[in-house]
Amino acid sequence: MVSLNSMKDGPQVSTTYGDEAAQGGHFVPAKYRGTVKDQADMSALGREQVLRRNFRFISIVGFGCTLIATWEVILTLLEQGLTDGGTAGLIWGFLIVACGFLLVFLSLAEMASMAPTSGGQYHWVSEFAPRSCQKFLSYITGWLCAMGWQCAIVSIAFLAGTIIQGLIVLNHDDYVFERWHGTLLVIAITFFGILFNTFLAKKLPFVEVLILILHVVGLFAIIIPLWVLAPRRTAKQVFTEFNNGGGWNSVGTATLVGFSTTITALIGYDCAVHMSEEIKDASETLPKAMITSVLINDCAGFLMLVTICFTLGDINDVLATPTGYPFIQVFYNATNSLPGTNTMTAILVLTLTASTITELATASRQLWSFARDGGLPFSGFFGYVTPGWNIPLNAVMVSLMVTVLLSLINIGSTTALLAIVTLTIGSLMSSYVITIGCLLLKRIRGEPLPPRRWSLGRFGMAINIGALCFLLPVFVFAFFPLTSTVDRESMNWCVVMYGGIMLIAILYYIFRGRHVYVPPVALVKREM
């Protein structure tokens, strides 16, 4: 085996990968093995094809659009943006964040064409980081991605479950909003997602196309009644009135804190990357599908955001809604109809539930990929691909159990659960910073990059620099609480959990990880 870098633990590499090949040497039908280029890419990356390549361009576009669910998330997290920033902060913030993340995902899309692997960021760091820190940085990035995507499952399922509770409150005044009810709904929604990731796994691409149709049609099914029936605010109110409900020292700071709404609605298009080994002609299809998903959701999200800002009515009234979700109150104020509000809200519940299906697929593939390189405790179990299924079934079921356990935290404290939810943002943005930083350093040094079929060309370095200039400040504000004066309930404990997880990862690396983790670059057989 000829690798790009001579690693000091060479004998360990061949042994570990031999075990992986023995585990993964399952028969994949010819029609699911992909193109000749796919086979060449897998060979260059030192991997064996063990998953079915049954995703095409439109299905992976649907995968990205429905997982991120931009317009749906904007509605569900409306309270945060209205509190810090107001309607003007939401709209101008959305444009800034959308442009910034476009630079980020253009950078990731180019790397996906260089190395289309389910490992994604931790693999790219392993190839592009300076040799002295390749292994450690790759390992930490793998933990960040695995942690981020596991938290993402409970995030989206929690939104769907508590929206259902909000609807019950609207329809039944005597209903008591119990936290354990929300936990049971999260678990039920996750089990529903498991069905599509196990028994119906072969049909998942087709399901993603259907969900994409629901995602687009549902958008118009909601905005049309709002434009026709809801009261209108003036353009001056919508585009120029900022809000500092968090009591920050300036409206600018409040708006930056309120970016959390739009960041959550626009982050995570690397989800498609973690399905790389299930996409036909991945090195060309994947980057095009990623950017198409970004553009579709940006347009849909902006259309929904402008609509909801114009049709809000009295902001203080909708923020005080007993349902817990201002958008439900906006729907009811516009339609004055419980059936109408229930139908419009049900569309969101359906699309967010569908998003849980794709979250599970992404999280399980990321977990499986990192485990096959020995990056996690019990990697042999997590990295196993079930014969005949051609899916990482163990990783799927572990993702289910992690989601169930995390959802139980809500019974004791919703604040603690929300802190875990925000770990998704911090973890994924960290992985983007490390990955793009390593690629930029390689470009600055004039070192050769792997061949790719989708390239940023001469604009690559500028786009990478712009992406980092955007990520670094918004990463800091992701850990801010919504208000400047906090107590135990309103504090954003995400930073504590983020630090704790990183400490565990570093300690595991020192005592065991560095001995068993095989950095992907050690397997690469690409000649450059």
Side-chain angles (χ1 to χ4, degrees), residues 130 208 434 485:
E208 294 297 340
I434 296 171
T485 304

Side-chain angles (χ1 to χ4, degrees), residues 81-145:
L82 290 176
T83 301
D84 290 318
T87 56
L90 275 169
I91 290 176
W92 299 116
F94 182 93
L95 293 175
I96 293 170
V97 172
C99 291
F101 269 132
L102 179 60
L103 299 178
V104 171
F105 294 118
L106 283 170
S107 300
L108 297 187
E110 184 181 40
M111 286 184 273
S113 188
M114 296 176 189
T117 168
S118 297
Q121 291 96 301
Y122 85 86
H123 175 103
W124 302 331
V125 170
S126 181
E127 280 208 63
F128 303 146
R131 186 174 301 182
S132 61
C133 54
Q134 276 179 337
K135 189 171 184 176
F136 176 72
L137 282 181
S138 171
Y139 176 84
I140 291 299
T141 305
W143 267 79
L144 286 168
C145 290

Side-chain angles (χ1 to χ4, degrees), residues 57-66 71-72 205-219 292-293 296-297 351 354:
F57 175 79
I58 190 64
S59 54
I60 206 65
V61 167
F63 190 95
C65 285
T66 57
W71 67 261
E72 295 93 335
F206 175 70
V207 171
E208 294 297 340
V209 175
L210 295 180
I211 298 171
L212 176 61
I213 295 172
L214 175 63
H215 178 68
V216 175
V217 172
L219 169 69
T292 301
S293 299
I296 290 174
N297 267 10
T351 53

Side-chain angles (χ1 to χ4, degrees), residues 29-352:
K31 66 177 181 177
Y32 294 130
R33 294 176 194 167
T35 65
V36 172
K37 183 58 180 173
D38 288 325
Q39 295 166 22
D41 285 336
M42 293 294 282
S43 177
L45 297 173
R47 302 294 186 185
E48 181 181 347
Q49 184 70 47
V50 297
L51 306 179
R52 286 185 295 264
R53 291 188 181 270
N54 55 353
F55 278 88
R56 304 293 193 273
F57 175 79
I58 190 64
S59 54
I60 206 65
V61 167
F63 190 95
C65 285
T66 57
L67 186 148
I68 307 305
T70 298
W71 67 261
E72 295 93 335
V73 172
I74 282 174
L75 286 178
T76 57
L77 300 182
L78 196 60
E79 181 179 3
Q80 299 176 14
L82 290 176
T83 301
D84 290 318
T87 56
L90 275 169
I91 290 176
W92 299 116
F94 182 93
L95 293 175
I96 293 170
V97 172
C99 291
F101 269 132
L102 179 60
L103 299 178
V104 171
F105 294 118
L106 283 170
S107 300
L108 297 187
E110 184 181 40
M111 286 184 273
S113 188
M114 296 176 189
T117 168
S118 297
Q121 291 96 301
Y122 85 86
H123 175 103
W124 302 331
V125 170
S126 181
E127 280 208 63
F128 303 146
R131 186 174 301 182
S132 61
C133 54
Q134 276 179 337
K135 189 171 184 176
F136 176 72
L137 282 181
S138 171
Y139 176 84
I140 291 299
T141 305
W143 267 79
L144 286 168
C145 290
M147 174 175 64
W149 283 112
Q150 290 298 322
C151 292
I153 305 172
V154 71
S155 303
I156 208 74
F158 179 75
L159 288 177
T162 50
I163 288 172
I164 294 173
Q165 285 186 281
L167 268 186
I168 298 174
V169 169
L170 182 69
N171 287 269
H172 301 281
D173 294 335
D174 57 345
Y175 173 70
V176 179
F177 203 105
E178 297 284 358
R179 289 197 294 265
W180 66 270
H181 294 175
T183 293
L184 289 178
L185 287 167
V186 169
I187 294 172
I189 290 167
T190 308
F191 268 99
F192 179 75
I194 287 292
L195 174 67
F196 288 90
N197 279 277
T198 52
F199 300 106
L200 300 177
K202 287 184 178 180
K203 302 295 183 182
L204 189 56
F206 175 70
V207 171
E208 294 297 340
V209 175
L210 295 180
I211 298 171
L212 176 61
I213 295 172
L214 175 63
H215 178 68
V216 175
V217 172
L219 169 69
F220 291 99
I222 288 176
I223 64 174
I224 291 174
L226 290 178
W227 279 115
V228 172
L229 300 173
R232 304 287 178 83
R233 305 179 78 233
T234 66
K236 182 179 180 180
Q237 289 176 309
V238 170
F239 292 105
T240 65
E241 290 188 359
F242 292 84
N243 188 42
N244 186 6
W248 297 99
N249 58 358
S250 70
V251 171
T253 302
T255 301
L256 287 171
V257 174
F259 273 14
S260 59
T261 295
T262 48
I263 289 172
T264 306
L266 293 168
I267 197 172
Y269 288 96
D270 57 298
C271 61
V273 171
H274 306 303
M275 304 299 290
S276 293
E277 294 171 39
E278 296 168 70
I279 301 172
K280 189 172 183 179
D281 204 20
S283 59
E284 185 171 20
T285 301
L286 175 57
K288 291 180 179 178
M290 281 180 66
I291 302 307
T292 301
S293 299
V294 171
L295 295 177
I296 290 174
N297 267 10
D298 282 357
C299 293
F302 188 69
L303 180 58
M304 177 58 77
L305 182 58
V306 171
T307 298
I308 200 71
C309 287
F310 266 101
T311 58
L312 270 175
D314 184 83
I315 293 179
N316 292 326
D317 175 56
V318 297
L319 286 177
T321 177
T323 65
Y325 285 97
F327 78 88
I328 297 179
Q329 192 66 47
V330 172
F331 291 175
Y332 183 70
N333 291 345
T335 62
N336 287 312
S337 164
L338 285 176
T341 302
N342 293 341
T343 302
M344 293 167 71
T345 307
I347 293 173
L348 260 81
V349 173
L350 286 175
T351 53
L352 290 174

